[in-house]
Amino acid sequence: MTPRKIRTRIAPSPTGFLHLGTARTALYSWAYARHFDGEFVLRIEDTDVARSTQDSVDQILASMHWLGLEYNEGPIYQMQRLDRYKAVIDQLIAEGKAYYCYSTPEELDAVREAKKARGEKALYDGRWRPAPGKTLPPIPAGVPPVVRFCNPPDGDVSWDDLVKGPITISNREIDDLIIARTDGVPTYNFAVVVDDWDMEISHVFRGDEHINNTPWQINIFHALGAPLPQFGHCPVILGDDGQKLSKRRGAVSVTAYEEGGYLPEAMLNYLARLGWSHGDEELFTSEQLVVWFDGTHLNKSPAQWDPVKLLWVNAQYIKQADNTRLAGLVATQLAKQGITLDASTIETHLPQVCALLKDRCDTTVALATWAAKFYGDITPDATELAQHVTDAVRPAVAMLAEKLSTCAWDKASIAAVIKEVLAANGLKMPQLAMPVRVLVMGTAQTPSLDGVLEMCGKEKVIARLAKA
Ligand code: GLU
């Protein structure tokens, strides 16, 4: 037998944004396919018509694009494949592997309650399941049927999970799954199998909330005579409070991190590391991930989302990032604060400001907050003003302003003027630098003074020093 081509997929439901957990399994699926020179497919599982929205589809596509998770095929929409599902369902019915069930919700509730009362698992009682010699109930008028899959009544379903290792679940634990609703739309567990079969998916990475669905899916694969993919179920991501990361617990959408000033490569690096390791490597590019990621070393136990570590990772990438690229990102963040810059400032001046500040910023939002001091207004902190801008230093500040007004505007000339003023007033650097920083940048903690003054521009510096 020739080995199967490696084909992976991510199959988000467009009932909300791209969740961090899904982004992580998308990343693993993508990296696995790339590692083995395979293909990665994006499928949109939109059969939950009531909850699926175009807005969610758009957000999912935008997030995948932002993260750089390019797919070889897709997006494929399940709702465009209804004819295919119907054909497979009809075939299963014809082969006696699926059947119509006319039980009403009330009947099903009653069965469930009765089973529960007897201490049994509340499974479907199989009353519409055909069997040799069995007489089925008369078909009730006006009750639209669902279609159920004939799950094997006995035996076990086992698979060797790429993440969790061997898993076995008894068929007695599961019942005859509904595979088509009364309106004919297939359910998740059925559509996912037909799709993974048709799309020749060889490896399925997904969240471990789907472990309990897998036995059904494996039984359906067998019923269809379809080859089984290998499954890898990744543990949930826990929030920093140890609870499952959820909408109610902080930001869980990829989009929120984009808006929060994270770089996509930092996000990828952090997500990859969250649930997988390569020795003790913490910082790596996505190309490096592709080289290393072969489906091993995936953690069996849940990872904890660590916002502080993510910030640290982001800061490392910001330090290395190209200044022109940072300028573009910072300009977008500045615009959100109401500061719009012209194209030439963004192309020439802002990159230098980014270069000056990026070592002290862990997000592009933080970078924009700093950059705003160069382009917008500043309000010096009153306590810092009182502490640093004293009568003793005011004459030196005035002298500095005066000398700067005629000085050539480059770092070296500015540094020379500062030196001259320090000497003339018998001051040490911090005695002058602190008040000047507070006056010009609104805070005493800034990068090197000459660099800050140069970037701020002569006019602004003189005007701000005049407020001493
Ligand atoms: N639509 C499912 C989800 O978002 C996909 C699960 C799977 O990958 O099979 O959870």
Side-chain angles (χ1 to χ4, degrees):
M1 216 173 81
T2 46
R4 285 182 87 175
K5 174 142 184 95
I6 301 296
R7 284 176 53 94
T8 62
R9 67 5 174 230
I10 189 70
S13 304
T15 53
F17 41 64
L18 189 70
H19 189 281
L20 291 171
T22 314
R24 187 184 58 168
T25 32
L27 172 60
Y28 291 162
S29 306
W30 172 87
Y32 193 80
R34 288 282 183 284
H35 179 88
F36 289 105
D37 209 10
E39 283 151 6
F40 172 56
V41 180
L42 172 65
R43 182 167 77 226
I44 302 290
E45 301 208 328
D46 53 355
T47 57
D48 184 348
V49 182
R51 292 171 59 231
S52 296
T53 65
Q54 185 57 42
D55 191 41
S56 299
V57 172
D58 295 344
Q59 279 214 34
I60 289 169
L61 299 183
S63 299
M64 295 284 291
H65 180 68
W66 181 66
L67 288 170
L69 299 179
E70 301 302 336
Y71 29 91
N72 303 86
E73 276 170 40
I76 298 166
Y77 295 87
Q78 288 191 320
M79 285 307 279
Q80 292 173 8
R81 290 175 42 79
L82 292 183
D83 290 348
R84 170 66 180 151
Y85 307 129
K86 189 176 177 324
V88 180
I89 286 172
D90 288 347
Q91 177 203 326
L92 286 177
I93 293 173
E95 292 171 1
K97 294 173 179 169
Y99 59 92
Y100 291 109
C101 165
Y102 295 86
S103 292
T104 60
E106 296 73 33
E107 278 170 4
L108 294 172
D109 283 345
V111 170
R112 232 175 271 133
E113 288 312 314
K115 290 209 171 204
K116 266 198 218 151
R118 291 198 299 272
E120 294 170 19
K121 220 176 157 170
L123 302 176
Y124 173 64
D125 63 358
R127 75 176 60 177
W128 288 94
R129 178 171 171 139
K134 174 175 170 184
T135 312
L136 294 176
I139 292 177
V143 178
V146 296
V147 178
R148 286 186 187 266
F149 172 67
C150 289
N151 200 67
D154 303 304
D156 293 331
V157 183
S158 300
W159 74 96
D160 194 2
D161 198 273
L162 287 165
V163 182
K164 307 260 178 179
I167 298 181
T168 297
I169 295 177
S170 163
N171 275 320
R172 287 201 201 82
E173 296 287 310
I174 59 180
D175 53 9
D176 285 359
L177 175 80
I178 296 177
I179 57 175
R181 303 186 187 96
T182 52
D183 59 4
V185 176
T187 54
Y188 157 70
N189 276 302
F190 180 73
V192 81
V193 172
V194 176
D195 286 350
D196 286 340
W197 177 30
D198 286 354
M199 293 162 205
E200 298 178 32
I201 300 303
S202 63
H203 292 76
V204 170
F205 292 94
R206 62 184 169 201
D208 66 2
E209 69 272 21
H210 288 294
I211 284 187
N212 288 336
N213 288 323
T214 306
W216 274 313
Q217 295 181 16
I218 290 180
N219 287 335
I220 297 173
F221 272 105
H222 288 325
L224 294 172
L228 273 188
Q230 273 192 273
F231 296 96
H233 288 94
C234 301
V236 290
I237 302 175
L238 300 178
D240 48 8
D241 56 359
Q243 304 283 320
K244 188 175 176 220
L245 204 63
S246 73
K247 283 181 207 167
R248 285 173 296 282
R249 293 194 179 83
V252 290
S253 77
V254 171
T255 330
Y257 287 90
E258 179 180 2
E259 282 162 11
Y262 291 80
L263 298 180
E265 61 270 38
M267 215 50 204
L268 277 189
N269 186 152
Y270 179 75
L271 279 172
R273 186 64 192 80
L274 191 71
W276 169 84
S277 58
H278 181 82
D280 47 17
E281 303 282 352
E282 290 295 348
L283 296 172
F284 43 82
T285 61
S286 56
E287 290 78 28
Q288 191 61 67
L289 169 69
V290 166
V291 172
W292 288 333
F293 193 87
D294 62 0
T296 61
H297 302 291
L298 283 158
N299 296 351
K300 281 191 175 58
S301 44
Q304 192 151 338
W305 189 257
D306 181 348
V308 177
K309 182 170 171 194
L310 173 59
L311 273 175
W312 176 80
V313 172
N314 204 48
Q316 308 315 308
Y317 281 94
I318 287 189
K319 270 194 196 97
Q320 297 166 17
D322 174 76
N323 296 320
T324 306
R325 174 183 173 214
L326 284 178
L329 297 169
V330 169
T332 309
Q333 299 287 1
L334 282 172
K336 285 193 220 158
Q337 299 179 24
I339 301 175
T340 33
L341 303 180
D342 56 51
S344 96
T345 307
I346 297 172
E347 279 160 31
T348 56
H349 190 262
L350 187 52
Q352 298 177 61
V353 169
C354 290
L356 184 67
L357 299 168
K358 65 182 179 179
D359 280 354
R360 57 183 56 227
C361 294
D362 46 23
T363 64
T364 58
V365 171
L367 202 43
T369 304
W370 266 103
K373 300 178 196 295
F374 292 83
Y375 303 109
D377 295 325
I378 53 143
T379 323
D381 180 80
T383 328
E384 287 201 301
L385 268 181
Q387 187 188 343
H388 297 290
V389 187
T390 58
D391 285 345
V393 81
R394 279 201 175 89
V397 171
M399 181 191 279
L400 179 70
E402 198 209 305
K403 290 195 177 294
L404 285 176
S405 67
T406 55
C407 145
W409 209 251
D410 58 77
K411 216 169 138 178
S413 311
I414 295 169
V417 166
I418 294 172
K419 237 176 160 181
E420 205 185 316
V421 174
L422 289 176
N425 291 271
L427 294 174
K428 297 243 174 304
M429 185 61 160
Q431 292 170 296
L432 181 65
M434 295 306 225
V436 172
R437 283 175 165 143
V438 174
L439 287 164
V440 176
M441 286 282 102
T443 165
Q445 306 303 321
T446 76
S448 74
L449 189 59
D450 45 5
V452 164
L453 297 184
E454 184 194 20
M455 282 302 114
C456 197
K458 185 182 277 192
E459 231 170 88
K460 265 205 169 102
V461 169
I462 306 294
R464 289 179 182 180
L465 289 180
K467 297 197 174 137

